[in-house]
Amino acid sequence: MVVQRNGSDSSTSVEPLSGKLPGEVTKADVELGPVPRDTHGPWGEPSSARAPSRVVDDAEESAQPPADKPLDDEPERYTSVSYWDILKHWSVMGYIGFGGPAAHIGLFQRYFVERYKWMSLGVFTELFALGQCLPGPTSTQVSFAIGTVKRGVLGGLLSGALFQYPGAVVMTAVGAGAAKFLTDDRKWLNGIVAGLSAVGVALVASAAKGLLMKLCNTKVTAILGTLAAAAAIYWSEPWLYPLLIVLGFIVTNITERKKDCRLTGNDGGVESLGFGMLGGGVLIGLWLAVLAVVLALARTTFKHENGPLNWFEVFYRIGSIIYGGGQVVLPMLLTDVVQKDENGKELATTWVTEKQFYAGLGAVQAMPGPLFNFSAYLGAIIARRRGDLFLEGAVLAWFGLFSPGVMLMFGVLPFWKRFRTWQIYRRGLPGMNAVGVGLILASVFKMSLDVWRISPFKNASLCIALFAFTAVDELKIFEPIVVIGGALLGLFGWGVKLD
Protein backbone atom coordinates (compact mmCIF):
# COMPACT_ATOMS: atom_id res chain seq x y z
CA MET A 1 0.00 0.00 0.00
CA VAL A 2 1.33 3.48 -0.81
CA VAL A 3 0.75 6.13 1.84
CA GLN A 4 0.92 9.88 1.41
CA ARG A 5 1.14 12.19 4.38
CA ASN A 6 1.50 15.91 3.94
CA GLY A 7 1.73 18.98 6.09
CA SER A 8 3.38 22.34 5.77
CA ASP A 9 2.48 24.04 9.05
CA SER A 10 4.93 23.58 11.92
CA SER A 11 2.34 24.72 14.46
CA THR A 12 1.53 22.28 17.27
CA SER A 13 -1.97 23.57 17.98
CA VAL A 14 -4.69 20.92 17.97
CA GLU A 15 -7.52 21.29 15.52
CA PRO A 16 -10.93 19.58 15.82
CA LEU A 17 -10.81 16.04 14.46
CA SER A 18 -14.38 15.99 13.16
CA GLY A 19 -14.52 15.07 9.52
CA LYS A 20 -10.94 13.76 9.47
CA LEU A 21 -10.64 10.48 7.59
CA PRO A 22 -8.69 7.66 9.29
CA GLY A 23 -5.05 7.77 8.22
CA GLU A 24 -5.24 11.37 6.93
CA VAL A 25 -2.69 13.69 8.47
CA THR A 26 -3.57 17.30 9.24
CA LYS A 27 -1.62 20.28 10.50
CA ALA A 28 -2.08 19.14 14.08
CA ASP A 29 -0.06 16.03 13.32
CA VAL A 30 3.11 17.93 12.41
CA GLU A 31 4.33 17.88 16.02
CA LEU A 32 6.28 14.72 15.27
CA GLY A 33 6.97 15.81 11.80
CA PRO A 34 4.22 14.25 11.76
CA VAL A 35 3.16 10.82 13.08
CA PRO A 36 -0.55 9.97 13.35
CA ARG A 37 -1.70 10.03 16.97
CA ASP A 38 -3.62 7.35 18.83
CA THR A 39 -3.34 4.85 15.98
CA HIS A 40 -0.90 2.42 17.52
CA GLY A 41 -1.30 -0.57 19.76
CA PRO A 42 0.43 -1.04 23.12
CA TRP A 43 3.63 -2.22 21.43
CA GLY A 44 3.75 0.72 19.03
CA GLU A 45 2.47 -1.25 16.04
CA PRO A 46 -0.15 0.40 13.82
CA SER A 47 -3.62 -0.59 15.03
CA SER A 48 -5.42 -3.19 12.94
CA ALA A 49 -8.61 -1.21 13.47
CA ARG A 50 -7.25 1.72 11.56
CA ALA A 51 -8.73 2.22 8.12
CA PRO A 52 -6.29 2.19 5.23
CA SER A 53 -4.46 5.48 4.86
CA ARG A 54 -5.64 7.39 1.83
CA VAL A 55 -3.67 9.26 -0.77
CA VAL A 56 -4.32 13.00 -0.68
CA ASP A 57 -5.71 14.07 -4.02
CA ASP A 58 -4.23 16.69 -6.29
CA ALA A 59 -6.66 19.41 -5.22
CA GLU A 60 -5.73 19.11 -1.56
CA GLU A 61 -2.04 18.89 -2.44
CA SER A 62 -2.15 22.11 -4.43
CA ALA A 63 -4.06 23.82 -1.63
CA GLN A 64 -1.40 23.07 0.95
CA PRO A 65 1.98 22.23 -0.59
CA PRO A 66 5.02 21.46 1.58
CA ALA A 67 7.17 24.52 2.10
CA ASP A 68 10.15 22.92 0.43
CA LYS A 69 8.33 21.74 -2.72
CA PRO A 70 7.17 23.67 -5.81
CA LEU A 71 3.45 23.56 -6.55
CA ASP A 72 3.87 21.41 -9.64
CA ASP A 73 6.05 18.75 -8.00
CA GLU A 74 4.70 15.25 -7.43
CA PRO A 75 4.02 14.58 -3.73
CA GLU A 76 6.41 12.22 -1.98
CA ARG A 77 4.87 8.82 -1.32
CA TYR A 78 6.12 6.21 1.10
CA THR A 79 5.15 2.57 1.40
CA SER A 80 3.19 1.32 4.40
CA VAL A 81 4.55 -2.12 5.29
CA SER A 82 3.24 -5.22 7.03
CA TYR A 83 5.06 -7.68 9.28
CA TRP A 84 5.30 -9.94 6.25
CA ASP A 85 7.09 -7.19 4.30
CA ILE A 86 9.60 -6.83 7.14
CA LEU A 87 10.08 -10.59 7.30
CA LYS A 88 10.55 -10.87 3.55
CA HIS A 89 13.02 -8.03 3.06
CA TRP A 90 15.02 -8.26 6.28
CA SER A 91 15.54 -12.00 5.88
CA VAL A 92 17.54 -11.09 2.78
CA MET A 93 19.52 -8.40 4.66
CA GLY A 94 20.72 -10.98 7.15
CA TYR A 95 22.45 -12.95 4.39
CA ILE A 96 23.89 -10.19 2.20
CA GLY A 97 25.15 -7.78 4.88
CA PHE A 98 28.86 -8.25 4.17
CA GLY A 99 31.48 -5.54 4.58
CA GLY A 100 30.86 -4.21 8.08
CA PRO A 101 28.76 -1.28 9.35
CA ALA A 102 29.71 1.09 6.55
CA ALA A 103 28.42 -1.31 3.91
CA HIS A 104 25.32 -2.07 5.99
CA ILE A 105 24.30 1.60 6.14
CA GLY A 106 24.71 1.94 2.39
CA LEU A 107 22.75 -1.27 1.85
CA PHE A 108 19.86 -0.04 4.03
CA GLN A 109 19.78 3.28 2.21
CA ARG A 110 19.80 1.60 -1.19
CA TYR A 111 17.00 -0.81 -0.33
CA PHE A 112 14.68 0.96 2.12
CA VAL A 113 15.05 4.56 0.91
CA GLU A 114 15.67 4.27 -2.82
CA ARG A 115 14.22 0.92 -3.85
CA TYR A 116 11.29 0.21 -1.52
CA LYS A 117 10.44 3.83 -0.48
CA TRP A 118 9.87 2.96 3.18
CA MET A 119 11.07 6.39 4.30
CA SER A 120 12.67 9.61 3.11
CA LEU A 121 16.41 10.13 2.96
CA GLY A 122 16.00 12.79 5.66
CA VAL A 123 14.42 10.36 8.13
CA PHE A 124 17.02 7.70 7.31
CA THR A 125 19.91 10.08 7.92
CA GLU A 126 18.38 11.13 11.24
CA LEU A 127 18.25 7.49 12.32
CA PHE A 128 21.85 7.13 11.16
CA ALA A 129 22.83 10.17 13.23
CA LEU A 130 21.04 8.76 16.29
CA GLY A 131 23.00 5.54 15.94
CA GLN A 132 26.25 7.48 15.77
CA CYS A 133 25.42 9.51 18.88
CA LEU A 134 24.60 6.45 20.99
CA PRO A 135 27.07 3.81 22.18
CA GLY A 136 26.76 0.47 20.45
CA PRO A 137 26.85 -0.87 16.88
CA THR A 138 25.40 1.81 14.58
CA SER A 139 24.20 -0.45 11.77
CA THR A 140 22.50 -2.78 14.27
CA GLN A 141 20.73 0.14 15.93
CA VAL A 142 19.56 1.45 12.55
CA SER A 143 18.26 -2.03 11.63
CA PHE A 144 16.04 -2.04 14.73
CA ALA A 145 14.99 1.59 14.19
CA ILE A 146 13.83 1.06 10.58
CA GLY A 147 11.37 -1.64 11.60
CA THR A 148 10.24 0.41 14.59
CA VAL A 149 9.31 3.54 12.64
CA LYS A 150 7.20 1.40 10.29
CA ARG A 151 5.53 -1.16 12.61
CA GLY A 152 6.38 -0.25 16.19
CA VAL A 153 8.39 -2.22 18.75
CA LEU A 154 7.46 -5.63 17.37
CA GLY A 155 8.41 -4.51 13.87
CA GLY A 156 11.73 -3.23 15.16
CA LEU A 157 12.48 -6.44 17.01
CA LEU A 158 11.65 -8.40 13.86
CA SER A 159 13.83 -6.34 11.49
CA GLY A 160 16.76 -6.22 13.90
CA ALA A 161 16.65 -9.92 14.81
CA LEU A 162 16.47 -10.99 11.15
CA PHE A 163 19.53 -8.90 10.39
CA GLN A 164 21.55 -10.39 13.28
CA TYR A 165 20.69 -14.06 13.47
CA PRO A 166 22.47 -15.62 10.44
CA GLY A 167 25.89 -14.37 11.50
CA ALA A 168 25.18 -15.00 15.19
CA VAL A 169 24.12 -18.62 14.62
CA VAL A 170 27.11 -19.40 12.39
CA MET A 171 29.61 -17.77 14.76
CA THR A 172 28.15 -19.68 17.71
CA ALA A 173 28.60 -22.93 15.78
CA VAL A 174 32.15 -21.93 14.83
CA GLY A 175 33.01 -21.23 18.46
CA ALA A 176 31.44 -24.49 19.57
CA GLY A 177 33.14 -26.83 17.14
CA ALA A 178 35.35 -25.23 14.53
CA ALA A 179 37.80 -23.10 16.53
CA LYS A 180 40.54 -25.74 16.24
CA PHE A 181 39.82 -26.13 12.52
CA LEU A 182 40.26 -22.39 12.02
CA THR A 183 43.56 -22.24 13.89
CA ASP A 184 45.12 -24.55 11.30
CA ASP A 185 46.39 -22.89 8.14
CA ARG A 186 44.16 -24.04 5.27
CA LYS A 187 45.08 -22.35 2.02
CA TRP A 188 41.83 -23.07 0.18
CA LEU A 189 39.89 -21.48 3.05
CA ASN A 190 42.22 -18.47 2.94
CA GLY A 191 41.38 -18.10 -0.75
CA ILE A 192 37.63 -18.02 -0.09
CA VAL A 193 38.08 -15.53 2.76
CA ALA A 194 40.23 -13.32 0.50
CA GLY A 195 37.48 -13.31 -2.15
CA LEU A 196 34.76 -12.49 0.38
CA SER A 197 36.90 -9.75 1.95
CA ALA A 198 37.43 -8.15 -1.46
CA VAL A 199 33.66 -8.09 -2.02
CA GLY A 200 33.28 -6.53 1.42
CA VAL A 201 35.58 -3.68 0.38
CA ALA A 202 33.53 -3.18 -2.78
CA LEU A 203 30.29 -2.97 -0.78
CA VAL A 204 31.79 -0.38 1.57
CA ALA A 205 33.12 1.63 -1.39
CA SER A 206 29.68 1.60 -3.04
CA ALA A 207 28.05 2.72 0.22
CA ALA A 208 30.60 5.51 0.63
CA LYS A 209 30.06 6.75 -2.91
CA GLY A 210 26.28 6.96 -2.55
CA LEU A 211 26.35 8.63 0.86
CA LEU A 212 29.11 11.06 -0.12
CA MET A 213 27.06 12.34 -3.05
CA LYS A 214 23.98 12.85 -0.87
CA LEU A 215 25.33 13.94 2.53
CA CYS A 216 28.62 15.70 1.71
CA ASN A 217 27.34 17.86 -1.14
CA THR A 218 28.42 21.26 0.22
CA LYS A 219 31.90 22.67 0.80
CA VAL A 220 31.47 22.59 4.58
CA THR A 221 30.20 19.01 4.77
CA ALA A 222 32.82 17.83 2.25
CA ILE A 223 35.58 19.32 4.40
CA LEU A 224 34.07 17.85 7.58
CA GLY A 225 33.80 14.40 6.03
CA THR A 226 37.37 14.51 4.73
CA LEU A 227 38.83 15.64 8.06
CA ALA A 228 36.80 13.03 9.96
CA ALA A 229 38.10 10.31 7.60
CA ALA A 230 41.69 11.46 8.08
CA ALA A 231 41.30 11.49 11.86
CA ALA A 232 39.75 8.01 11.87
CA ILE A 233 42.62 6.66 9.75
CA TYR A 234 45.21 8.15 12.06
CA TRP A 235 43.64 7.43 15.48
CA SER A 236 41.33 4.72 16.83
CA GLU A 237 40.80 5.82 20.45
CA PRO A 238 37.23 5.37 21.83
CA TRP A 239 36.86 9.09 22.56
CA LEU A 240 37.51 10.08 18.94
CA TYR A 241 34.10 9.20 17.46
CA PRO A 242 31.84 11.09 19.88
CA LEU A 243 34.25 14.04 19.76
CA LEU A 244 34.09 14.20 15.96
CA ILE A 245 30.29 13.99 16.00
CA VAL A 246 30.07 16.86 18.51
CA LEU A 247 32.48 18.97 16.43
CA GLY A 248 30.45 18.32 13.27
CA PHE A 249 27.30 19.34 15.12
CA ILE A 250 28.92 22.60 16.29
CA VAL A 251 30.43 23.50 12.91
CA THR A 252 27.19 23.34 10.89
CA ASN A 253 25.31 25.12 13.67
CA ILE A 254 27.75 27.97 13.14
CA THR A 255 27.85 27.93 9.34
CA GLU A 256 24.06 27.58 9.00
CA ARG A 257 23.08 29.77 11.96
CA LYS A 258 20.96 32.05 9.74
CA LYS A 259 19.19 29.23 7.92
CA ASP A 260 15.56 28.49 8.71
CA CYS A 261 15.60 24.76 9.48
CA ARG A 262 12.09 24.35 10.82
CA LEU A 263 10.61 20.94 10.06
CA THR A 264 8.15 21.22 7.18
CA GLY A 265 6.63 18.93 4.59
CA ASN A 266 5.49 15.34 5.08
CA ASP A 267 6.36 12.81 7.76
CA GLY A 268 8.95 11.02 5.63
CA GLY A 269 7.31 7.62 6.05
CA VAL A 270 7.39 7.54 9.87
CA GLU A 271 4.38 5.67 11.25
CA SER A 272 5.45 4.77 14.79
CA LEU A 273 8.07 5.53 17.43
CA GLY A 274 7.74 2.32 19.40
CA PHE A 275 7.46 2.93 23.12
CA GLY A 276 6.03 6.15 24.48
CA MET A 277 8.23 8.61 26.35
CA LEU A 278 7.50 6.93 29.69
CA GLY A 279 8.46 3.53 28.29
CA GLY A 280 11.56 5.01 26.69
CA GLY A 281 12.63 6.61 29.95
CA VAL A 282 12.11 3.34 31.83
CA LEU A 283 14.23 1.49 29.24
CA ILE A 284 17.10 3.98 29.56
CA GLY A 285 16.89 3.69 33.35
CA LEU A 286 16.93 -0.11 33.10
CA TRP A 287 20.09 0.00 30.98
CA LEU A 288 21.83 2.13 33.62
CA ALA A 289 20.57 -0.04 36.50
CA VAL A 290 21.83 -3.27 34.91
CA LEU A 291 25.19 -1.64 34.19
CA ALA A 292 25.55 -0.48 37.80
CA VAL A 293 24.57 -3.87 39.25
CA VAL A 294 26.85 -6.03 37.10
CA LEU A 295 29.79 -3.65 37.58
CA ALA A 296 29.33 -3.73 41.37
CA LEU A 297 28.98 -7.52 41.57
CA ALA A 298 31.89 -8.23 39.22
CA ARG A 299 34.17 -6.06 41.37
CA THR A 300 33.04 -7.30 44.79
CA THR A 301 31.25 -10.63 45.26
CA PHE A 302 32.50 -12.24 42.03
CA LYS A 303 35.90 -10.55 41.81
CA HIS A 304 38.62 -12.67 40.15
CA GLU A 305 36.11 -15.37 39.20
CA ASN A 306 35.45 -16.92 35.81
CA GLY A 307 31.70 -17.40 35.72
CA PRO A 308 28.58 -16.36 33.79
CA LEU A 309 28.20 -13.02 35.57
CA ASN A 310 31.82 -12.11 34.86
CA TRP A 311 31.38 -12.96 31.19
CA PHE A 312 28.20 -10.90 30.91
CA GLU A 313 29.78 -7.96 32.76
CA VAL A 314 32.71 -7.72 30.33
CA PHE A 315 30.54 -7.70 27.21
CA TYR A 316 27.78 -5.50 28.68
CA ARG A 317 30.31 -2.95 29.93
CA ILE A 318 32.04 -2.76 26.55
CA GLY A 319 28.70 -2.55 24.72
CA SER A 320 27.69 0.37 26.95
CA ILE A 321 30.74 2.53 26.27
CA ILE A 322 31.76 1.62 22.74
CA TYR A 323 31.69 4.16 19.92
CA GLY A 324 33.05 3.56 16.46
CA GLY A 325 32.12 -0.06 15.85
CA GLY A 326 34.44 -2.97 15.25
CA GLN A 327 37.67 -1.05 14.88
CA VAL A 328 37.39 0.07 18.51
CA VAL A 329 35.60 -2.92 20.08
CA LEU A 330 38.21 -5.47 18.97
CA PRO A 331 41.17 -4.19 21.03
CA MET A 332 38.89 -3.76 24.04
CA LEU A 333 37.63 -7.35 23.76
CA LEU A 334 41.17 -8.64 23.23
CA THR A 335 42.33 -7.00 26.47
CA ASP A 336 39.51 -8.54 28.53
CA VAL A 337 39.19 -12.07 27.13
CA VAL A 338 42.86 -12.87 26.46
CA GLN A 339 44.52 -12.66 29.86
CA LYS A 340 48.29 -12.30 30.17
CA ASP A 341 50.77 -11.87 33.00
CA GLU A 342 52.94 -8.81 33.58
CA ASN A 343 55.50 -10.17 31.10
CA GLY A 344 52.93 -10.48 28.34
CA LYS A 345 52.77 -14.29 28.53
CA GLU A 346 49.37 -15.89 28.07
CA LEU A 347 47.92 -17.31 31.29
CA ALA A 348 46.81 -20.93 31.43
CA THR A 349 43.45 -19.70 32.78
CA THR A 350 42.87 -17.23 29.94
CA TRP A 351 39.27 -17.18 28.72
CA VAL A 352 40.32 -17.29 25.05
CA THR A 353 43.76 -17.86 23.54
CA GLU A 354 45.19 -15.22 21.25
CA LYS A 355 45.29 -17.72 18.38
CA GLN A 356 41.59 -18.52 18.86
CA PHE A 357 40.78 -14.81 18.99
CA TYR A 358 42.39 -13.99 15.66
CA ALA A 359 41.09 -17.13 13.99
CA GLY A 360 37.53 -16.16 14.95
CA LEU A 361 38.14 -12.61 13.78
CA GLY A 362 38.99 -13.92 10.33
CA ALA A 363 35.83 -16.02 10.32
CA VAL A 364 33.47 -13.25 11.39
CA GLN A 365 34.80 -10.92 8.71
CA ALA A 366 33.74 -13.50 6.13
CA MET A 367 30.21 -13.62 7.57
CA PRO A 368 27.22 -11.35 6.87
CA GLY A 369 25.85 -9.15 9.60
CA PRO A 370 27.48 -7.05 12.32
CA LEU A 371 31.05 -7.61 13.46
CA PHE A 372 29.62 -7.69 16.99
CA ASN A 373 28.49 -11.27 16.22
CA PHE A 374 32.10 -12.06 17.10
CA SER A 375 30.83 -12.01 20.69
CA ALA A 376 28.86 -15.24 20.13
CA TYR A 377 32.03 -16.99 19.00
CA LEU A 378 34.01 -15.72 21.99
CA GLY A 379 31.25 -16.64 24.43
CA ALA A 380 31.05 -20.19 23.08
CA ILE A 381 34.80 -20.68 23.47
CA ILE A 382 34.84 -19.15 26.97
CA ALA A 383 32.11 -21.52 28.15
CA ARG A 384 33.72 -24.58 26.56
CA ARG A 385 37.12 -23.85 28.09
CA ARG A 386 35.45 -23.71 31.51
CA GLY A 387 33.54 -26.93 30.86
CA ASP A 388 30.10 -25.31 30.57
CA LEU A 389 27.52 -25.58 27.80
CA PHE A 390 28.75 -23.50 24.84
CA LEU A 391 25.28 -22.03 24.27
CA GLU A 392 25.28 -20.41 27.72
CA GLY A 393 28.45 -18.48 27.00
CA ALA A 394 27.37 -17.52 23.47
CA VAL A 395 24.01 -16.12 24.62
CA LEU A 396 25.46 -14.17 27.57
CA ALA A 397 28.26 -12.65 25.49
CA TRP A 398 26.04 -11.86 22.48
CA PHE A 399 23.26 -10.25 24.52
CA GLY A 400 25.81 -8.51 26.70
CA LEU A 401 27.48 -6.75 23.77
CA PHE A 402 24.36 -5.98 21.71
CA SER A 403 21.69 -5.16 24.31
CA PRO A 404 23.00 -1.75 25.58
CA GLY A 405 22.94 -0.14 22.14
CA VAL A 406 19.59 -1.66 21.21
CA MET A 407 17.98 -0.67 24.53
CA LEU A 408 19.26 2.89 24.11
CA MET A 409 17.91 3.16 20.55
CA PHE A 410 14.45 1.96 21.63
CA GLY A 411 14.65 4.29 24.65
CA VAL A 412 15.67 7.41 22.71
CA LEU A 413 13.32 7.04 19.71
CA PRO A 414 10.20 8.30 21.58
CA PHE A 415 12.07 11.50 22.53
CA TRP A 416 13.22 11.95 18.94
CA LYS A 417 9.77 13.29 18.00
CA ARG A 418 10.48 16.24 20.31
CA PHE A 419 14.07 17.17 19.67
CA ARG A 420 13.93 16.52 15.91
CA THR A 421 11.87 19.72 15.60
CA TRP A 422 14.51 21.85 17.36
CA GLN A 423 16.37 24.13 14.98
CA ILE A 424 19.69 23.59 16.78
CA TYR A 425 19.35 19.86 16.15
CA ARG A 426 18.39 20.26 12.51
CA ARG A 427 21.25 22.67 11.84
CA GLY A 428 23.67 20.21 13.42
CA LEU A 429 22.41 17.17 11.46
CA PRO A 430 24.42 17.86 8.27
CA GLY A 431 27.60 18.08 10.32
CA MET A 432 26.91 14.87 12.24
CA ASN A 433 26.05 13.00 9.06
CA ALA A 434 29.12 14.34 7.25
CA VAL A 435 31.28 12.97 10.08
CA GLY A 436 29.51 9.62 9.82
CA VAL A 437 30.16 9.47 6.09
CA GLY A 438 33.79 10.40 6.76
CA LEU A 439 34.11 7.40 9.08
CA ILE A 440 32.69 5.21 6.30
CA LEU A 441 35.20 6.71 3.86
CA ALA A 442 38.02 5.89 6.29
CA SER A 443 36.77 2.29 6.38
CA VAL A 444 37.19 2.05 2.59
CA PHE A 445 40.88 2.95 2.75
CA LYS A 446 41.68 0.94 5.88
CA MET A 447 39.84 -2.17 4.69
CA SER A 448 41.46 -1.95 1.26
CA LEU A 449 44.92 -1.91 2.80
CA ASP A 450 44.08 -4.70 5.24
CA VAL A 451 42.62 -6.93 2.53
CA TRP A 452 45.61 -6.31 0.29
CA ARG A 453 48.07 -7.04 3.10
CA ILE A 454 46.59 -10.36 4.28
CA SER A 455 45.53 -11.70 0.87
CA PRO A 456 47.40 -14.74 -0.47
CA PHE A 457 47.05 -13.18 -3.96
CA LYS A 458 47.23 -9.43 -3.50
CA ASN A 459 46.72 -8.16 -7.05
CA ALA A 460 43.94 -10.66 -7.70
CA SER A 461 42.12 -9.46 -4.57
CA LEU A 462 42.19 -5.89 -5.88
CA CYS A 463 40.75 -7.11 -9.19
CA ILE A 464 37.99 -9.05 -7.40
CA ALA A 465 37.11 -5.89 -5.45
CA LEU A 466 37.03 -3.87 -8.68
CA PHE A 467 34.76 -6.39 -10.41
CA ALA A 468 32.46 -6.53 -7.39
CA PHE A 469 32.20 -2.72 -7.19
CA THR A 470 31.15 -2.47 -10.84
CA ALA A 471 28.70 -5.34 -10.43
CA VAL A 472 26.99 -3.80 -7.39
CA ASP A 473 27.25 -0.09 -8.05
CA GLU A 474 26.84 0.16 -11.82
CA LEU A 475 25.34 -3.11 -13.08
CA LYS A 476 23.00 -3.38 -10.04
CA ILE A 477 23.51 -7.13 -9.77
CA PHE A 478 21.79 -8.68 -6.74
CA GLU A 479 24.26 -8.56 -3.83
CA PRO A 480 24.06 -12.28 -2.86
CA ILE A 481 25.13 -13.22 -6.39
CA VAL A 482 28.12 -10.86 -6.14
CA VAL A 483 29.09 -12.32 -2.74
CA ILE A 484 28.96 -15.89 -4.05
CA GLY A 485 30.91 -14.81 -7.12
CA GLY A 486 33.62 -13.29 -4.92
CA ALA A 487 33.97 -16.51 -2.92
CA LEU A 488 34.24 -18.55 -6.11
CA LEU A 489 36.84 -16.20 -7.58
CA GLY A 490 38.83 -16.47 -4.36
CA LEU A 491 38.70 -20.27 -4.56
CA PHE A 492 39.72 -20.06 -8.21
CA GLY A 493 42.64 -17.82 -7.26
CA TRP A 494 43.85 -20.44 -4.79
CA GLY A 495 43.37 -23.24 -7.32
CA VAL A 496 45.38 -21.66 -10.14
CA LYS A 497 47.97 -20.22 -7.73
CA LEU A 498 47.58 -16.55 -8.62
CA ASP A 499 50.09 -14.07 -7.24
Side-chain angles (χ1 to χ4, degrees), residues 52-232:
S53 300
R54 71 185 183 94
V55 177
V56 178
D57 62 32
D58 292 338
E60 291 171 297
E61 176 66 20
S62 62
Q64 197 175 49
D68 56 352
K69 279 186 167 291
L71 287 176
D72 56 349
D73 270 9
E74 285 293 323
E76 290 291 340
R77 293 172 176 169
Y78 303 104
T79 305
S80 181
V81 304
S82 64
Y83 292 120
W84 168 248
D85 293 322
I86 295 175
L87 177 65
K88 178 173 60 177
H89 296 304
W90 280 96
S91 293
V92 175
M93 290 295 110
Y95 289 96
I96 67 174
F98 290 89
H104 300 159
I105 293 298
L107 204 62
F108 298 163
Q109 188 258 341
R110 183 180 299 134
Y111 272 77
F112 300 109
V113 175
E114 296 180 1
R115 186 174 300 181
Y116 301 138
K117 305 295 183 185
W118 282 19
M119 60 187 63
S120 68
L121 179 63
V123 166
F124 178 79
T125 56
E126 287 189 56
L127 297 179
F128 177 39
L130 278 181
Q132 292 179 80
C133 294
L134 298 173
T138 300
S139 62
T140 295
Q141 291 166 315
V142 173
S143 73
F144 280 92
I146 290 174
T148 302
V149 299
K150 300 306 293 184
R151 295 294 299 184
V153 173
L154 293 180
L157 291 173
L158 183 60
S159 63
L162 289 170
F163 180 57
Q164 319 303 315
Y165 90 88
V169 169
V170 173
M171 290 310 297
T172 300
V174 170
K180 186 178 185 307
F181 174 82
L182 287 175
T183 55
D184 297 332
D185 187 27
R186 301 177 187 273
K187 297 190 182 302
W188 64 268
L189 183 60
N190 293 339
I192 293 176
V193 170
L196 290 172
S197 299
V199 173
V201 171
L203 292 175
V204 177
S206 177
K209 174 192 169 187
L211 292 172
L212 275 168
M213 294 174 67
K214 293 178 174 67
L215 303 181
C216 293
N217 52 6
T218 67
K219 291 181 180 179
V220 172
T221 53
I223 292 171
L224 279 173
T226 302
L227 293 178

Side-chain angles (χ1 to χ4, degrees), residues 57 72 244 266 290 471:
D57 62 32
D72 56 349
L244 290 174
N266 55 50
V290 172

Side-chain angles (χ1 to χ4, degrees), residues 77-411:
R77 293 172 176 169
Y78 303 104
T79 305
S80 181
V81 304
S82 64
Y83 292 120
W84 168 248
D85 293 322
I86 295 175
L87 177 65
K88 178 173 60 177
H89 296 304
W90 280 96
S91 293
V92 175
M93 290 295 110
Y95 289 96
I96 67 174
F98 290 89
H104 300 159
I105 293 298
L107 204 62
F108 298 163
Q109 188 258 341
R110 183 180 299 134
Y111 272 77
F112 300 109
V113 175
E114 296 180 1
R115 186 174 300 181
Y116 301 138
K117 305 295 183 185
W118 282 19
M119 60 187 63
S120 68
L121 179 63
V123 166
F124 178 79
T125 56
E126 287 189 56
L127 297 179
F128 177 39
L130 278 181
Q132 292 179 80
C133 294
L134 298 173
T138 300
S139 62
T140 295
Q141 291 166 315
V142 173
S143 73
F144 280 92
I146 290 174
T148 302
V149 299
K150 300 306 293 184
R151 295 294 299 184
V153 173
L154 293 180
L157 291 173
L158 183 60
S159 63
L162 289 170
F163 180 57
Q164 319 303 315
Y165 90 88
V169 169
V170 173
M171 290 310 297
T172 300
V174 170
K180 186 178 185 307
F181 174 82
L182 287 175
T183 55
D184 297 332
D185 187 27
R186 301 177 187 273
K187 297 190 182 302
W188 64 268
L189 183 60
N190 293 339
I192 293 176
V193 170
L196 290 172
S197 299
V199 173
V201 171
L203 292 175
V204 177
S206 177
K209 174 192 169 187
L211 292 172
L212 275 168
M213 294 174 67
K214 293 178 174 67
L215 303 181
C216 293
N217 52 6
T218 67
K219 291 181 180 179
V220 172
T221 53
I223 292 171
L224 279 173
T226 302
L227 293 178
I233 290 172
Y234 203 82
W235 295 289
S236 59
E237 284 77 5
W239 49 263
L240 177 67
Y241 298 93
L243 176 62
L244 290 174
I245 290 166
V246 170
L247 289 176
F249 179 87
I250 293 172
V251 167
T252 52
N253 258 291
I254 294 172
T255 59
E256 300 192 11
R257 62 189 179 277
K258 296 181 180 179
K259 184 177 179 181
D260 184 358
C261 293
R262 282 177 295 182
L263 189 64
T264 59
N266 55 50
D267 63 358
V270 177
E271 298 182 60
S272 172
L273 292 174
F275 293 108
M277 285 196 221
L278 176 60
V282 169
L283 203 56
I284 294 171
L286 179 62
W287 160 69
L288 282 172
V290 172
L291 180 62
V293 169
V294 296
L295 283 173
L297 290 175
R299 282 154 178 74
T300 54
T301 308
F302 297 91
K303 191 175 182 180
H304 303 306
E305 289 193 21
N306 174 15
L309 184 131
N310 303 83
W311 310 337
F312 182 77
E313 182 271 335
V314 164
F315 288 91
Y316 192 86
R317 166 171 45 85
I318 293 175
S320 296
I321 63 174
I322 191 68
Y323 284 90
Q327 296 91 338
V328 179
V329 78
L330 291 174
M332 296 178 72
L333 287 174
L334 180 65
T335 300
D336 275 289
V337 303
V338 180
Q339 285 105 21
K340 299 180 179 180
D341 60 22
E342 59 274 9
N343 298 317
K345 185 178 179 181
E346 214 169 78
L347 296 173
T349 57
T350 182
W351 292 1
V352 177
T353 68
E354 196 166 36
K355 194 172 184 181
Q356 288 171 331
F357 185 93
Y358 285 109
L361 179 58
V364 75
Q365 289 176 328
M367 298 293 157
L371 186 64
F372 277 41
N373 281 331
F374 188 36
S375 59
Y377 166 87
L378 294 174
I381 289 182
I382 291 170
R384 287 199 68 193
R385 285 178 63 86
R386 186 177 182 264
D388 292 354
L389 182 65
F390 74 89
L391 197 57
E392 177 186 13
V395 169
L396 287 171
W398 190 86
F399 274 100
L401 195 62
F402 274 103
S403 58
V406 175
M407 291 169 69
L408 286 171
M409 178 58 86
F410 275 118

